[in-house]
Amino acid sequence: MALHWKILIGLVAGVLVGLAINRLWTAQTWQAVGVHDVSAFLKAPPHARRVAEAEGGVNADAAFVADAIRFLRNANTFVGQLFLRLLRFIAVPIVLFSLIAGVASLNDIAKLRRIGARTLVIYMATTCVAVSVGLGLANLIGPGRGFPENTRDLLIAREQASVSAKIASAEARPTPWEVALDMVPENPFAALAQAEMLQVVFAALLVGIGLTLLPRGKAAPVVALCETMTNVVVKIVEMVLVLAPFAVFALIVPVIADLGLDVLGSLGLYVLTVVLGLAIVLFIEYPLWLRVLTPVRYSRFFRAIAPAQLLALSSSSSGATLPVTMECCEKRLGVRDDIVSFVAPLGATINMDGTALYQGVAAVFIAQMLAIDLSVGEQLMIVLTATLASIGTAAVPGVGIVMLVIVLQSVDVPLEGIAVILGVDRILDMCRTVVNISGDSMVCAVVGSAEGALADEQTVLQQLESKRNVGD
Ligand code: ASP
């Protein structure tokens, strides 16, 4: 069975188990067995629970079920986090070695400049299109118009503390000048140790260029070392990927168990608008770019990157998904490794189409809910700030909503509106991360095709087949 089917099965099974736990967790179920304060009961250590049982007439079976549920959640969180750790372990070495080897083997600095410029321009263009799609839809559907005022005020009052925390972390963020300056590491070893991805990309580019400028004989051993290390890391990725179906299951169970589906409630129309926008980007915008600029058919693209998409959905982190995105682009899509090792890590850090679209919809939704009219000029301002904010958004869960603070500030929309959309942020984070990594992969294919570094479908299939036979 192909890897993406196995991962999909893991995902669906995880959603079902998560929903079952969520149901068991409801207050009514617990009251039926004599527990009134569910979260205190679950958090209480076993001996305290036994006292509660003795004093309050708690059903003894309830304690057993509570332990079983708690174990299931903790075990799943453990397995999921273990998998993410393994991926993070690989991320820095794969970018470092493959980028040095890639740049050195290009052996052409002018070509490097062209690839860099092309990549940046396409990244910016796709993000602008994505925000515009989000704004267009939000204006058309109007998810915030007529939003119940009492629900709004209730949420604003309840989530005050979390919103203040988000505003504080947005305000502590560096200015664009500092972000640009920060790309240049003062100490390359510190950059590697702290996994500062843009700094690692910068350092690897410099080392690669340095190797290009050396006489060939002198550079060859280092280039060969980097190539071998890249192959070693690719082998590790392959080993880790065997665990992916289980990991996806384990990652999704605690998320769904905590959220359930009730959270969608009154925010259904807002969620629908964001998801519809993401679907338009994924199924209409990207296929258009691919059709115009590459020979890749969309079904081939989709099959190739499905494992990375499913992992992005369950981990909500394009950074953690990066090694898998790179593996999919190289081995399953057929883009040459030097292109992938430049375009993909850069994209994981600066290109976030899904996040930018979500910020566009969220800004209009909040404005509509607070009965504020946004002029055309203000909406253009949102396109600009959301595009820039997505560059500064770290590739980890939940940062998109922090950067939303900056987008709202740019058009003077009150920040407390964020409280209303906090509850559904995790679900939307999962969806926008899928689009974020799909955009990076699409640009890999476009740049690969422009550079003549994209294998045709037949060759890719043959390579996959021969690898499978060797594996047998
Ligand atoms: N979770 C997203 C990512 O890693 C970022 C965000 O939108 O919060 O791509």
Side-chain angles (χ1 to χ4, degrees):
M1 195 191 280
L3 181 65
H4 54 271
W5 289 119
K6 290 190 204 160
I7 301 182
L8 192 63
I9 292 174
L11 188 73
V12 173
V15 170
L16 294 180
V17 172
L19 282 178
I21 293 182
N22 184 269
R23 283 288 116 205
L24 280 175
W25 205 275
T26 58
Q28 292 92 320
T29 322
W30 288 105
Q31 270 164 18
V33 291
V35 179
H36 296 286
D37 187 347
V38 184
S39 61
F41 183 71
L42 288 171
K43 277 189 209 123
H47 69 274
R49 274 216 310 273
R50 272 193 294 278
V51 175
E53 272 171 46
E55 286 174 356
V58 170
N59 187 328
D61 292 343
F64 175 75
V65 176
D67 281 338
I69 292 179
R70 197 172 19 194
F71 176 77
L72 207 59
R73 289 186 78 254
N74 290 347
N76 278 306
T77 307
F78 174 80
V79 174
Q81 291 307 318
L82 193 70
F83 183 74
L84 292 186
R85 266 176 180 260
L86 285 172
L87 287 178
R88 290 200 194 100
F89 165 87
I90 300 163
V92 169
I94 200 170
V95 172
L96 179 74
F97 293 122
S98 64
L99 196 51
I100 294 180
V103 173
S105 63
L106 268 184
N107 212 3
D108 181 348
I109 295 176
K111 201 167 164 190
L112 192 67
R113 209 177 305 134
R114 194 180 60 221
I115 295 175
R118 196 171 261 153
T119 307
L120 288 180
V121 168
I122 304 178
Y123 275 155
M124 292 301 114
T126 52
T127 309
C128 282
V129 173
V131 197
S132 310
V133 169
L135 287 176
L137 274 183
N139 282 302
L140 203 71
I141 300 178
R145 281 183 221 126
F147 190 82
E149 274 177 32
N150 47 354
T151 316
R152 181 193 73 193
D153 297 340
L154 200 84
L155 287 170
I156 289 181
R158 201 177 71 191
E159 303 289 354
Q160 221 167 16
S162 339
V163 174
S164 309
K166 302 254 178 277
I167 296 173
S169 48
E171 272 161 7
R173 294 195 73 79
T175 63
W177 293 106
E178 285 164 344
V179 171
L181 198 61
D182 207 41
M183 276 178 56
V184 182
E186 283 180 346
N187 175 350
F189 300 101
L192 295 176
Q194 281 150 18
E196 290 289 348
M197 221 33 121
L198 280 187
Q199 294 191 350
V200 174
V201 168
F202 186 87
L205 279 176
L206 277 193
V207 175
I209 293 172
L211 285 168
T212 310
L213 298 176
L214 279 183
R216 277 208 161 205
K218 286 229 153 72
V222 180
V223 178
L225 175 77
C226 290
E227 278 167 357
T228 309
M229 283 309 292
T230 308
N231 291 337
V232 170
V233 183
V234 166
K235 287 284 163 228
I236 302 178
V237 176
E238 283 168 12
M239 285 189 278
V240 173
L241 266 185
V242 175
L243 300 174
F246 305 101
V248 163
F249 173 89
L251 283 167
I252 207 79
V253 167
V255 175
I256 302 291
D258 284 350
L259 288 179
L261 292 181
D262 303 341
V263 71
L264 295 179
S266 52
L267 287 164
L269 197 56
Y270 161 69
V271 172
L272 204 76
T273 312
V274 176
V275 172
L276 189 65
L278 294 175
I280 291 177
V281 169
L282 201 56
F283 298 115
I284 300 180
E285 184 196 338
Y286 292 166
L288 279 175
W289 285 96
L290 286 172
R291 173 167 286 250
V292 175
L293 298 173
T294 75
V296 176
R297 280 182 298 120
Y298 195 58
S299 57
R300 170 182 163 196
F301 175 74
F302 204 78
R303 238 179 298 125
I305 65 158
Q309 288 180 319
L310 293 167
L311 185 61
L313 186 75
S314 38
S315 69
S316 293
S317 166
S318 8
T321 312
L322 179 62
V324 183
T325 313
M326 291 176 74
E327 165 87 4
C328 289
C329 288
E330 265 177 60
K331 300 279 155 45
R332 298 167 61 104
L333 196 56
V335 185
R336 212 173 56 210
D337 56 355
D338 52 308
I339 302 287
V340 174
S341 55
F342 176 70
V343 178
L346 202 66
T349 25
I350 70 164
N351 180 53
M352 303 214 173
D353 297 350
T355 300
L357 179 142
Y358 146 85
Q359 287 169 341
V361 177
V364 175
F365 170 79
I366 293 174
Q368 286 171 347
M369 193 182 62
L370 299 170
I372 298 170
D373 265 334
L374 291 174
S375 66
V376 176
E378 282 170 326
Q379 305 227 10
L380 286 177
M381 189 68 192
I382 294 178
V383 175
L384 186 74
T385 42
T387 305
L388 292 179
S390 78
I391 297 177
T393 305
V396 290
V399 186
I401 199 160
V402 172
M403 299 307 274
L404 179 61
V405 170
I406 295 167
V407 177
L408 292 181
Q409 273 170 342
S410 74
V411 285
D412 277 337
V413 170
L415 300 179
E416 61 265 26
I418 292 180
V420 179
I421 55 171
L422 266 181
V424 287
D425 191 57
R426 182 62 204 245
I427 297 220
L428 293 181
D429 194 4
M430 292 161 62
C431 303
R432 61 192 190 235
T433 309
V434 173
V435 172
N436 289 347
I437 68 103
S438 305
D440 303 340
S441 310
M442 188 274 289
V443 178
C444 272
V446 170
V447 177
S449 170
E451 293 298 323
L454 180 69
D456 64 58
E457 190 170 7
Q458 212 50 39
T459 317
V460 176
L461 286 178
Q462 272 164 6
Q463 276 167 359
L464 278 177
E465 191 55 36
S466 66
K467 207 175 91 190
R468 215 169 281 151
N469 291 339
V470 172
D472 291 345

Coordinates of all heavy atoms in Angstrom, one line a residue, residues 277-344:
G277 N -11.5 29.2 0.9 CA -10.4 30.0 0.4 C -9.2 29.1 0.2 O -8.5 29.1 -0.9
L278 N -8.9 28.3 1.2 CA -7.7 27.4 1.2 C -7.9 26.4 0.0 O -7.0 26.1 -0.7 CB -7.5 26.7 2.5 CG -7.1 27.5 3.7 CD1 -7.1 26.7 5.0 CD2 -5.8 28.2 3.5
A279 N -9.1 25.9 -0.1 CA -9.4 24.9 -1.2 C -9.2 25.6 -2.6 O -8.7 25.0 -3.5 CB -10.8 24.4 -1.1
I280 N -9.6 26.9 -2.7 CA -9.5 27.5 -4.0 C -8.0 27.7 -4.3 O -7.5 27.4 -5.4 CB -10.1 28.9 -4.0 CG1 -11.7 28.7 -3.9 CG2 -9.7 29.8 -5.2 CD1 -12.5 30.0 -3.8
V281 N -7.2 28.0 -3.3 CA -5.7 28.2 -3.5 C -5.1 26.8 -3.9 O -4.4 26.7 -4.9 CB -5.0 28.7 -2.3 CG1 -3.5 28.6 -2.4 CG2 -5.4 30.2 -2.1
L282 N -5.5 25.8 -3.2 CA -5.0 24.5 -3.4 C -5.4 23.8 -4.7 O -4.6 23.2 -5.4 CB -5.4 23.6 -2.2 CG -4.6 22.3 -1.9 CD1 -3.1 22.7 -1.7 CD2 -5.1 21.6 -0.7
F283 N -6.7 24.0 -5.0 CA -7.2 23.3 -6.2 C -7.4 24.1 -7.4 O -7.7 23.6 -8.5 CB -8.5 22.6 -5.8 CG -8.4 21.6 -4.7 CD1 -9.0 21.8 -3.5 CD2 -7.6 20.4 -4.9 CE1 -8.9 20.8 -2.5 CE2 -7.4 19.5 -3.9 CZ -8.1 19.7 -2.7
I284 N -7.3 25.4 -7.3 CA -7.4 26.3 -8.5 C -6.1 27.1 -8.8 O -5.6 27.0 -9.9 CB -8.7 27.2 -8.5 CG1 -9.9 26.3 -8.3 CG2 -8.7 28.1 -9.7 CD1 -11.2 27.1 -8.2
E285 N -5.7 27.8 -7.7 CA -4.5 28.7 -8.0 C -3.3 27.8 -8.3 O -2.6 28.1 -9.3 CB -4.2 29.6 -6.8 CG -3.1 30.5 -7.0 CD -2.4 31.2 -5.8 OE1 -3.1 31.2 -4.7 OE2 -1.3 31.6 -5.9
Y286 N -3.0 26.9 -7.5 CA -1.7 26.1 -7.7 C -1.8 25.3 -9.0 O -0.8 25.3 -9.8 CB -1.4 25.2 -6.5 CG -1.1 25.9 -5.3 CD1 -1.0 25.3 -4.0 CD2 -0.7 27.2 -5.3 CE1 -0.7 26.0 -2.8 CE2 -0.3 27.9 -4.2 CZ -0.3 27.3 -2.9 OH 0.0 28.0 -1.8
P287 N -2.9 24.6 -9.3 CA -2.9 23.9 -10.6 C -2.7 24.9 -11.8 O -2.0 24.5 -12.8 CB -4.3 23.4 -10.7 CG -4.7 23.2 -9.3 CD -4.1 24.3 -8.5
L288 N -3.2 26.2 -11.7 CA -2.9 27.1 -12.7 C -1.4 27.4 -12.9 O -0.9 27.4 -14.0 CB -3.7 28.4 -12.5 CG -5.2 28.4 -12.9 CD1 -5.9 29.7 -12.5 CD2 -5.3 28.2 -14.4
W289 N -0.8 27.7 -11.8 CA 0.7 27.9 -11.9 C 1.4 26.7 -12.5 O 2.2 26.9 -13.3 CB 1.3 28.1 -10.5 CG 1.0 29.5 -9.8 CD1 0.0 29.7 -8.9 CD2 1.7 30.7 -10.0 NE1 0.0 31.1 -8.5 CE2 1.1 31.7 -9.1 CE3 2.8 31.1 -10.7 CZ2 1.5 33.0 -9.0 CZ3 3.3 32.4 -10.6 CH2 2.6 33.3 -9.8
L290 N 1.0 25.5 -12.0 CA 1.7 24.3 -12.5 C 1.4 24.1 -14.0 O 2.3 23.8 -14.8 CB 1.1 23.1 -11.8 CG 1.6 22.9 -10.3 CD1 0.9 21.8 -9.6 CD2 3.1 22.7 -10.3
R291 N 0.2 24.4 -14.4 CA -0.2 24.2 -15.8 C 0.6 25.2 -16.7 O 1.1 24.8 -17.8 CB -1.7 24.4 -16.0 CG -2.2 24.3 -17.5 CD -3.6 24.2 -17.5 NE -4.0 22.8 -17.2 CZ -4.5 22.0 -18.1 NH1 -4.7 22.3 -19.3 NH2 -4.8 20.7 -17.7
V292 N 0.6 26.4 -16.3 CA 1.3 27.5 -17.1 C 2.8 27.3 -17.1 O 3.4 27.5 -18.2 CB 0.9 28.9 -16.6 CG1 1.6 30.0 -17.4 CG2 -0.6 29.1 -16.7
L293 N 3.4 27.0 -16.0 CA 4.8 27.0 -15.9 C 5.6 25.7 -15.9 O 6.8 25.7 -15.9 CB 5.2 27.8 -14.7 CG 4.8 29.3 -14.6 CD1 5.0 30.0 -13.3 CD2 5.4 30.1 -15.8
T294 N 4.8 24.6 -15.8 CA 5.5 23.3 -15.7 C 4.7 22.2 -16.5 O 3.5 22.4 -16.8 CB 5.6 22.7 -14.3 OG1 4.3 22.2 -13.9 CG2 6.0 23.8 -13.3
P295 N 5.4 21.1 -16.8 CA 4.6 20.0 -17.5 C 3.9 19.1 -16.5 O 3.3 18.1 -16.8 CB 5.7 19.3 -18.2 CG 6.9 19.5 -17.4 CD 6.8 20.8 -16.7
V296 N 4.0 19.4 -15.2 CA 3.4 18.5 -14.1 C 1.9 18.6 -14.1 O 1.3 19.7 -14.0 CB 4.0 18.9 -12.7 CG1 3.4 18.1 -11.6 CG2 5.5 18.9 -12.7
R297 N 1.3 17.4 -14.2 CA -0.2 17.4 -14.1 C -0.5 17.4 -12.6 O 0.2 17.0 -11.8 CB -0.7 16.1 -14.7 CG -0.9 16.2 -16.2 CD -1.4 15.0 -16.8 NE -0.6 13.8 -16.6 CZ -0.9 12.7 -15.9 NH1 -2.2 12.6 -15.4 NH2 -0.1 11.7 -15.7
Y298 N -1.7 18.0 -12.3 CA -2.0 18.2 -10.9 C -2.2 16.9 -10.1 O -1.8 16.8 -9.0 CB -3.3 19.1 -10.7 CG -3.3 19.6 -9.3 CD1 -2.3 20.4 -8.8 CD2 -4.4 19.3 -8.5 CE1 -2.3 20.8 -7.5 CE2 -4.4 19.7 -7.2 CZ -3.4 20.5 -6.7 OH -3.4 21.0 -5.4
S299 N -2.7 15.8 -10.8 CA -2.8 14.6 -10.1 C -1.4 14.0 -9.6 O -1.3 13.5 -8.5 CB -3.6 13.5 -10.9 OG -2.8 13.4 -12.1
R300 N -0.5 14.2 -10.5 CA 0.9 13.8 -10.2 C 1.4 14.6 -9.0 O 2.0 14.0 -8.0 CB 1.8 14.0 -11.4 CG 3.3 13.8 -11.1 CD 4.1 14.0 -12.3 NE 5.5 14.2 -12.0 CZ 6.4 14.7 -12.8 NH1 6.1 15.1 -14.0 NH2 7.7 14.9 -12.4
F301 N 1.2 15.9 -9.0 CA 1.7 16.7 -7.9 C 1.0 16.3 -6.6 O 1.7 16.1 -5.6 CB 1.3 18.2 -8.3 CG 1.6 19.2 -7.2 CD1 2.9 19.6 -7.0 CD2 0.6 19.7 -6.4 CE1 3.2 20.5 -6.0 CE2 0.9 20.6 -5.4 CZ 2.2 21.0 -5.2
F302 N -0.3 16.1 -6.7 CA -1.0 15.8 -5.4 C -0.5 14.4 -4.9 O -0.3 14.3 -3.7 CB -2.5 15.7 -5.8 CG -3.4 16.0 -4.6 CD1 -3.6 17.3 -4.2 CD2 -4.0 14.9 -4.0 CE1 -4.4 17.5 -3.1 CE2 -4.8 15.1 -2.9 CZ -5.0 16.4 -2.4
R303 N -0.4 13.4 -5.7 CA 0.1 12.1 -5.3 C 1.5 12.2 -4.6 O 1.8 11.6 -3.6 CB 0.1 11.1 -6.4 CG -0.8 9.9 -6.2 CD -0.8 9.0 -7.3 NE -1.3 9.6 -8.6 CZ -0.6 9.6 -9.7 NH1 0.6 9.1 -9.8 NH2 -1.1 10.2 -10.8
A304 N 2.3 13.0 -5.3 CA 3.7 13.1 -4.8 C 3.8 13.8 -3.4 O 4.6 13.3 -2.6 CB 4.5 14.0 -5.8
I305 N 3.0 14.8 -3.2 CA 3.2 15.5 -1.9 C 2.2 15.1 -0.8 O 2.2 15.7 0.3 CB 3.3 17.1 -2.1 CG1 1.9 17.6 -2.6 CG2 4.3 17.5 -3.0 CD1 1.7 19.0 -2.2
A306 N 1.3 14.2 -1.1 CA 0.3 13.8 -0.1 C 0.9 13.4 1.3 O 0.3 13.9 2.3 CB -0.6 12.6 -0.7
P307 N 2.0 12.7 1.4 CA 2.5 12.3 2.7 C 2.8 13.6 3.5 O 2.5 13.7 4.7 CB 3.7 11.5 2.5 CG 3.5 10.9 1.1 CD 2.8 11.9 0.3
A308 N 3.4 14.6 2.8 CA 3.8 15.8 3.5 C 2.5 16.6 3.9 O 2.5 17.2 5.0 CB 4.7 16.7 2.6
Q309 N 1.5 16.6 3.0 CA 0.3 17.3 3.3 C -0.4 16.7 4.6 O -0.8 17.5 5.5 CB -0.7 17.3 2.2 CG -0.3 18.1 1.0 CD -1.2 18.0 -0.2 OE1 -1.7 16.9 -0.5 NE2 -1.5 19.1 -0.8
L310 N -0.4 15.4 4.6 CA -1.1 14.7 5.7 C -0.4 15.0 7.0 O -0.9 15.2 8.1 CB -1.3 13.2 5.5 CG -2.2 12.9 4.3 CD1 -2.1 11.5 3.9 CD2 -3.6 13.2 4.7
L311 N 1.0 15.0 6.9 CA 1.8 15.3 8.2 C 1.6 16.7 8.6 O 1.5 17.0 9.8 CB 3.2 15.0 7.9 CG 4.1 15.1 9.1 CD1 3.7 14.1 10.2 CD2 5.6 14.9 8.7
A312 N 1.5 17.6 7.6 CA 1.3 19.1 8.0 C 0.0 19.2 8.7 O -0.2 20.0 9.6 CB 1.4 19.9 6.7
L313 N -1.0 18.5 8.2 CA -2.4 18.6 8.8 C -2.3 18.1 10.2 O -2.9 18.8 11.1 CB -3.3 17.7 8.0 CG -4.8 17.8 8.4 CD1 -5.4 19.1 7.8 CD2 -5.6 16.6 7.8
S314 N -1.6 17.1 10.5 CA -1.7 16.6 11.9 C -0.7 17.3 12.8 O -0.9 17.3 14.0 CB -1.5 15.1 11.9 OG -0.6 14.7 11.0
S315 N 0.4 17.9 12.2 CA 1.4 18.5 13.1 C 1.2 20.0 13.2 O 1.7 20.6 14.1 CB 2.8 18.2 12.7 OG 3.1 18.9 11.4
S316 N 0.5 20.6 12.3 CA 0.4 22.1 12.2 C 1.7 22.8 12.2 O 1.8 23.9 12.7 CB -0.4 22.6 13.4 OG -1.7 22.2 13.4
S317 N 2.7 22.2 11.6 CA 4.0 22.8 11.6 C 4.7 22.6 10.3 O 5.1 21.5 10.0 CB 4.9 22.3 12.8 OG 6.2 22.7 12.6
S318 N 4.9 23.7 9.5 CA 5.7 23.4 8.3 C 7.1 23.2 8.6 O 7.8 22.5 7.8 CB 5.5 24.6 7.3 OG 4.9 25.7 7.7
G319 N 7.6 23.7 9.7 CA 9.0 23.5 10.0 C 9.3 22.0 10.3 O 10.2 21.4 9.8
A320 N 8.4 21.4 11.1 CA 8.6 20.0 11.4 C 8.4 19.1 10.2 O 9.0 18.0 10.1 CB 7.6 19.6 12.5
T321 N 7.5 19.6 9.3 CA 7.2 18.8 8.1 C 8.3 18.9 7.0 O 8.4 18.1 6.1 CB 5.9 19.2 7.5 OG1 4.9 19.3 8.5 CG2 5.3 18.3 6.4
L322 N 9.2 19.9 7.2 CA 10.2 20.2 6.1 C 11.0 19.0 5.6 O 11.0 18.8 4.4 CB 11.2 21.3 6.6 CG 12.3 21.7 5.7 CD1 11.7 22.3 4.4 CD2 13.3 22.7 6.3
P323 N 11.5 18.1 6.4 CA 12.3 17.0 5.9 C 11.4 16.1 5.0 O 11.8 15.6 3.9 CB 12.7 16.2 7.1 CG 12.7 17.2 8.2 CD 11.6 18.1 7.9
V324 N 10.1 16.0 5.3 CA 9.2 15.1 4.5 C 8.9 15.9 3.2 O 8.8 15.3 2.2 CB 8.0 14.8 5.3 CG1 7.0 13.9 4.5 CG2 8.3 14.1 6.6
T325 N 8.6 17.2 3.3 CA 8.4 18.0 2.1 C 9.5 17.8 1.1 O 9.3 17.6 -0.1 CB 8.2 19.5 2.5 OG1 7.4 19.6 3.6 CG2 7.6 20.3 1.3
M326 N 10.8 17.9 1.7 CA 11.9 17.8 0.8 C 12.0 16.4 0.1 O 12.3 16.3 -1.1 CB 13.2 18.1 1.6 CG 13.3 19.6 2.0 SD 14.7 20.0 3.0 CE 16.1 19.9 1.8
E327 N 11.8 15.4 0.9 CA 11.8 14.0 0.4 C 10.8 13.9 -0.7 O 11.0 13.3 -1.7 CB 11.5 13.1 1.6 CG 11.2 11.7 1.2 CD 12.4 10.8 1.1 OE1 13.5 11.3 1.3 OE2 12.2 9.6 0.7
C328 N 9.5 14.4 -0.4 CA 8.5 14.2 -1.4 C 8.8 15.0 -2.7 O 8.6 14.5 -3.8 CB 7.1 14.8 -0.9 SG 6.4 13.8 0.4
C329 N 9.3 16.2 -2.6 CA 9.7 17.0 -3.8 C 10.8 16.3 -4.6 O 10.7 16.3 -5.8 CB 10.1 18.4 -3.4 SG 8.8 19.4 -2.9
E330 N 11.7 15.8 -3.9 CA 12.9 15.1 -4.6 C 12.5 13.8 -5.2 O 12.6 13.6 -6.4 CB 14.0 14.9 -3.6 CG 15.0 16.0 -3.6 CD 16.1 15.8 -2.6 OE1 16.8 14.7 -2.7 OE2 16.2 16.6 -1.7
K331 N 12.1 12.9 -4.3 CA 11.9 11.5 -4.7 C 10.6 11.2 -5.4 O 10.5 10.4 -6.3 CB 12.0 10.6 -3.5 CG 13.3 10.7 -2.8 CD 14.4 9.9 -3.5 CE 15.8 10.4 -3.2 NZ 16.2 10.7 -1.9
R332 N 9.5 11.9 -5.0 CA 8.2 11.6 -5.6 C 7.8 12.5 -6.7 O 7.0 12.2 -7.5 CB 7.2 11.5 -4.5 CG 7.5 10.5 -3.4 CD 6.7 10.6 -2.2 NE 5.3 10.5 -2.4 CZ 4.5 9.4 -2.1 NH1 5.1 8.4 -1.6 NH2 3.3 9.4 -2.4
L333 N 8.3 13.8 -6.6 CA 7.9 14.7 -7.7 C 9.0 14.8 -8.7 O 8.8 15.2 -9.9 CB 7.7 16.1 -7.0 CG 7.0 17.2 -7.8 CD1 5.6 16.7 -8.2 CD2 6.8 18.4 -6.9
G334 N 10.3 14.5 -8.4 CA 11.4 14.5 -9.3 C 12.1 15.8 -9.5 O 12.7 16.0 -10.6
V335 N 12.0 16.7 -8.5 CA 12.8 18.0 -8.6 C 14.2 17.7 -8.2 O 14.4 17.0 -7.1 CB 12.2 19.1 -7.8 CG1 12.9 20.4 -8.0 CG2 10.7 19.2 -8.1
R336 N 15.2 18.2 -8.9 CA 16.6 18.0 -8.5 C 16.9 18.5 -7.1 O 16.4 19.5 -6.7 CB 17.5 18.6 -9.6 CG 18.8 17.9 -9.8 CD 19.6 18.4 -11.0 NE 19.8 19.9 -10.8 CZ 20.0 20.7 -11.8 NH1 19.8 20.3 -13.0 NH2 20.2 22.0 -11.5
D337 N 17.8 17.8 -6.4 CA 18.0 18.0 -5.0 C 18.6 19.4 -4.7 O 18.3 20.0 -3.7 CB 18.8 16.9 -4.3 CG 20.2 16.7 -5.0 OD1 20.4 17.4 -6.1 OD2 21.0 15.9 -4.5
D338 N 19.4 20.0 -5.6 CA 20.0 21.3 -5.3 C 18.9 22.4 -5.3 O 18.9 23.3 -4.5 CB 21.1 21.7 -6.3 CG 20.7 21.5 -7.7 OD1 20.2 20.5 -8.1 OD2 20.9 22.5 -8.5
I339 N 17.9 22.2 -6.2 CA 16.8 23.2 -6.2 C 16.0 23.0 -5.0 O 15.6 24.0 -4.3 CB 15.9 22.9 -7.5 CG1 16.7 23.0 -8.8 CG2 14.7 23.9 -7.5 CD1 17.1 24.4 -9.1
V340 N 15.6 21.7 -4.6 CA 14.8 21.5 -3.5 C 15.5 22.0 -2.2 O 14.8 22.7 -1.3 CB 14.5 20.0 -3.3 CG1 13.7 19.7 -2.0 CG2 13.7 19.5 -4.5
S341 N 16.8 21.8 -2.1 CA 17.4 22.2 -0.8 C 17.5 23.7 -0.7 O 17.8 24.2 0.4 CB 18.8 21.5 -0.7 OG 19.6 21.8 -1.8
F342 N 17.3 24.4 -1.7 CA 17.3 25.9 -1.6 C 15.9 26.4 -1.4 O 15.5 27.1 -0.5 CB 17.9 26.5 -2.9 CG 17.8 28.0 -2.9 CD1 18.6 28.8 -2.0 CD2 17.0 28.7 -3.7 CE1 18.5 30.2 -1.9 CE2 16.9 30.1 -3.7 CZ 17.7 30.8 -2.8
V343 N 15.0 25.9 -2.4 CA 13.6 26.5 -2.4 C 12.8 26.0 -1.2 O 12.1 26.9 -0.6 CB 12.9 26.0 -3.7 CG1 11.5 26.6 -3.8 CG2 13.7 26.6 -4.9
A344 N 12.8 24.8 -0.8 CA 11.9 24.3 0.3 C 12.2 24.9 1.6 O 11.3 25.4 2.3 CB 11.9 22.7 0.3

